[in-house]
Amino acid sequence: MTVIKVAILGFGTVGEGVYRTIESHADDLEAVLGKKVEVAAILIKNKQRERNIRKNILVTTNFEDILNLPKLDIVIEAIVNKEPTYTFLQKAIERGCHIITANKEMFAHHGKQLIELAEQNNVSVGFEATVAGGIPVIQTLKQLLKINRVQQIQGILNGTSNFILTEMREKKWSFAEALLQAQENGYAEADPTNDVEGFDAFYKTMILSRLAFGEEPNWQDVEREGITSITSELIDAAEKLGLRFKHIASISNERGQIQVSVKPALVGKENPFYHVEGVENAVSVHSDIVGRITLQGPGAGMFPTASAVIEDLVYVCLNTQKDRSFKVEDTAVSDQQRSCKEELWFVHAQSNYFQSLPSNLIEQTFKQTYIIRATKREVEGLANQDKEISYFPIVGEYQTANEDKVLTAQ
Ligand SMILES: NC(=O)c1ccc[n+]([C@@H]2O[C@H](COP(=O)([O-])OP(=O)(O)OC[C@H]3O[C@@H](n4cnc5c(N)ncnc54)[C@H](OP(=O)(O)O)[C@@H]3O)[C@@H](O)[C@H]2O)c1
């Protein structure tokens, strides 16, 4: 019987999870693929570290050893940083291997080039693990894109930020206290910038935008904001109004224009994101035939991420069809259009400034927090007059705290 030979680049959380899953699910893989899947080699950086790897597997720090294997079908990449990863994967494709990656930062930067190179070399690229860990969002989108037209994708894509916001609300902790807990639990790195400033969610959002709409906006034009400005006071005021803070990535295609933001927003009880807590991720896809689908699950971790990689392994072995995505003619985001649409805003002010606002703007108040209906330009205008004002959009339907009104945000 022929064998599918695999190399795994990296033996950290993801790489080891993939290795163990290939071992534990060997019979299932053979049953589905009609061939045995065999790990031929593993690339690591530190040769001194003890690892539980079978003796007949090549363990090396030199990628050329992997390229020189007599037979190699798939290269699975689970290392960090853009380089040397991108170079390794280019070489793997040129050698005729399918590639599968979990590395969102690298794939957000170089995914387009890798997919083009793979097409030229008649191999496939799997990237399910780059977005929302174990949630099969990439395959779901590929399935939907066959006929449905995707109009909007929203997601809670960073488990660390969601954990911090949940802990701040439930335990009445400060941002610093919740971050420390995230670090102690191993969810946040010693340098948490990528997570709490929204870069990690931003990379995932660019990958989704490219898949769903065939293009991504100029990175500089995307509103990207992390969760560091959210205080316990804001979280408490939101709760009193029946709202929860979530860090939400949003991509929509409005009449051919892609609009993308990655920032904190508020959701009411009716929104499926309201109940997404702790390190969980969720993705909500709105498309023309099916309507809204929401997927929720573990966004990271050894086996959830390995699950995404293994599903990709099956996909690249079995699938030879070209995937469709929508081409968008003009991807420039019109600031003017965006600023003229009325939305619901959660606005917090230290002063009594808002008492002088026209009453038609104000929907709800709680102490110094106001829910107002206004355009982005109007809210920015208010904030310019008072530097202590902070404002966040409310996403989806919101039932007001006294439950006498249901407001539709956007
Ligand atoms: N952790 C998750 O839950 C998760 C989920 C989705 C996606 N991802 C992505 O998956 C990738 C791997 O994440 P991870 O959490 O598994 O990282 P990790 O635990 O830090 O492991 C990284 C592995 O890569 C190896 N490595 C790093 N640089 C290398 C180089 N230049 N050459 C060869 N090997 C190198 C390391 O080798 P040594 O062992 O020798 O140090 C280590 O085995 C990242 O891109 C991450 O963003 C992670």
Side-chain angles (χ1 to χ4, degrees):
M1 171 179 284
T2 50
V3 170
I4 297 169
K5 295 266 189 188
V6 172
I8 304 174
L9 314 187
F11 201 75
T13 306
V14 178
E16 181 168 359
V18 170
Y19 172 73
R20 306 247 162 268
T21 308
I22 291 176
E23 298 262 296
S24 62
H25 289 67
D27 293 345
D28 304 273
L29 284 166
E30 190 175 340
V32 172
L33 298 173
K35 295 175 186 178
K36 266 192 195 319
V37 175
E38 201 177 288
V39 177
I42 296 175
L43 183 78
I44 39 101
K45 200 173 177 183
N46 178 356
K47 203 91 200 251
Q48 312 312 321
R49 195 168 291 161
E50 284 268 320
R51 315 193 194 240
N52 189 4
I53 299 174
R54 273 192 291 113
K55 292 278 172 283
N56 60 338
I57 295 174
L58 170 72
V59 178
T60 177
T61 54
N62 184 357
F63 183 65
E64 294 301 315
D65 293 344
I66 290 180
L67 283 182
N68 291 334
L69 287 170
K71 178 173 171 12
L72 184 62
D73 301 296
I74 302 175
V75 171
I76 295 172
E77 183 262 316
I79 55 180
V80 286
N81 298 332
K82 301 195 284 286
E83 284 294 356
T85 323
Y86 176 45
T87 308
F88 289 167
L89 292 182
Q90 283 174 298
K91 288 183 176 175
I93 291 172
E94 281 158 359
R95 145 109 213 232
C97 298
H98 300 298
I99 60 158
I100 297 170
T101 180
N103 185 337
K104 53 244 164 184
E105 182 179 2
M106 182 282 302
F107 201 71
H109 283 88
H110 300 301
K112 190 165 183 270
Q113 294 94 314
L114 286 174
I115 288 172
E116 279 167 12
L117 188 64
E119 276 172 7
Q120 288 159 22
N121 287 271
N122 226 7
V123 293
S124 297
V125 179
F127 55 98
E128 183 68 73
T130 59
V131 182
I135 305 176
V137 57
I138 303 294
Q139 283 305 339
T140 303
L141 275 172
K142 284 182 175 172
Q143 185 62 35
L144 277 178
L145 287 166
K146 289 192 166 60
I147 302 295
N148 273 268
R149 292 190 190 140
V150 173
Q151 291 152 336
Q152 187 192 49
I153 304 172
Q154 289 180 324
I156 295 177
L157 300 178
N158 185 267
T160 307
S161 296
N162 204 50
F163 173 83
I164 292 172
L165 292 175
T166 305
E167 294 288 279
M168 286 175 75
R169 194 190 74 249
E170 285 181 349
K171 302 196 171 136
K172 313 273 178 230
W173 278 353
S174 67
F175 173 81
E177 286 169 318
L179 171 60
L180 192 65
Q181 185 66 58
Q183 285 166 325
E184 279 172 15
N185 289 8
Y187 302 145
E189 308 270 326
D191 175 0
T193 311
N194 246 352
D195 292 324
V196 299
E197 296 292 355
F199 290 102
D200 175 80
F202 170 83
Y203 294 139
K204 295 165 177 170
T205 309
M206 292 302 106
I207 294 170
L208 287 178
S209 173
R210 202 183 297 142
L211 174 67
F213 302 119
E215 279 294 346
E216 62 204 274
N218 276 333
W219 285 18
Q220 298 85 330
D221 294 339
V222 176
E223 258 186 283
R224 179 200 45 78
E225 193 188 322
I227 57 163
T228 48
S229 64
I230 313 291
T231 59
S232 339
E233 190 190 6
L234 287 171
I235 287 183
D236 192 45
E239 200 169 16
K240 297 283 184 328
L241 288 160
L243 291 162
R244 282 182 184 170
F245 272 97
K246 298 288 164 190
H247 188 252
I248 296 182
S250 178
I251 317 163
S252 58
N253 181 5
E254 288 170 25
R255 292 185 292 279
Q257 289 198 319
I258 300 179
Q259 304 212 4
V260 179
S261 63
V262 182
K263 61 184 182 185
L266 290 118
V267 294
K269 291 188 181 73
E270 298 67 30
N271 192 307
F273 288 175
Y274 186 86
H275 302 284
V276 179
E277 298 279 58
V279 285
E280 291 267 291
N281 281 195
V283 181
S284 175
V285 182
H286 190 261
S287 51
D288 63 343
I289 309 175
V290 69
R292 189 168 293 281
I293 295 172
T294 302
L295 303 166
Q296 180 178 345
M302 181 177 269
F303 290 109
T305 313
S307 160
V309 171
I310 296 298
E311 293 300 334
D312 265 352
L313 190 151
V314 172
Y315 181 80
V316 299
C317 289
L318 296 181
N319 198 294
T320 50
Q321 283 175 28
K322 292 267 175 295
D323 296 313
R324 166 182 161 227
S325 63
F326 290 100
K327 282 275 165 234
V328 178
E329 294 296 308
D330 175 11
T331 60
V333 180
S334 154
D335 258 355
Q336 199 180 352
Q337 266 192 347
R338 199 193 288 167
S339 309
C340 292
K341 205 170 83 182
E342 276 202 338
E343 297 171 59
L344 277 183
W345 299 89
F346 171 99
V347 186
H348 185 80
Q350 298 295 333
S351 61
N352 289 330
Y353 170 76
F354 271 78
Q355 283 170 4
S356 58
L357 271 187
S359 61
N360 63 325
L361 284 186
I362 299 178
E363 300 273 6
Q364 283 273 292
T365 60
F366 169 73
K367 292 187 180 165
Q368 290 158 321
T369 308
Y370 301 76
I371 306 293
I372 69 168
R373 187 178 293 283
T375 65
K376 185 159 190 268
R377 188 170 294 164
E378 284 169 329
V379 175
E380 283 169 349
L382 295 173
N384 278 340
Q385 291 170 40
D386 183 343
K387 293 292 169 219
E388 287 181 335
I389 288 177
S390 49
Y391 59 95
F392 304 90
I394 297 175
V395 173
E397 269 193 352
Y398 158 54
Q399 180 147 29
T400 55
N402 55 11
E403 307 211 340
D404 63 349
K405 269 203 268 186
V406 176
L407 307 173
T408 304
Q410 9 172 313

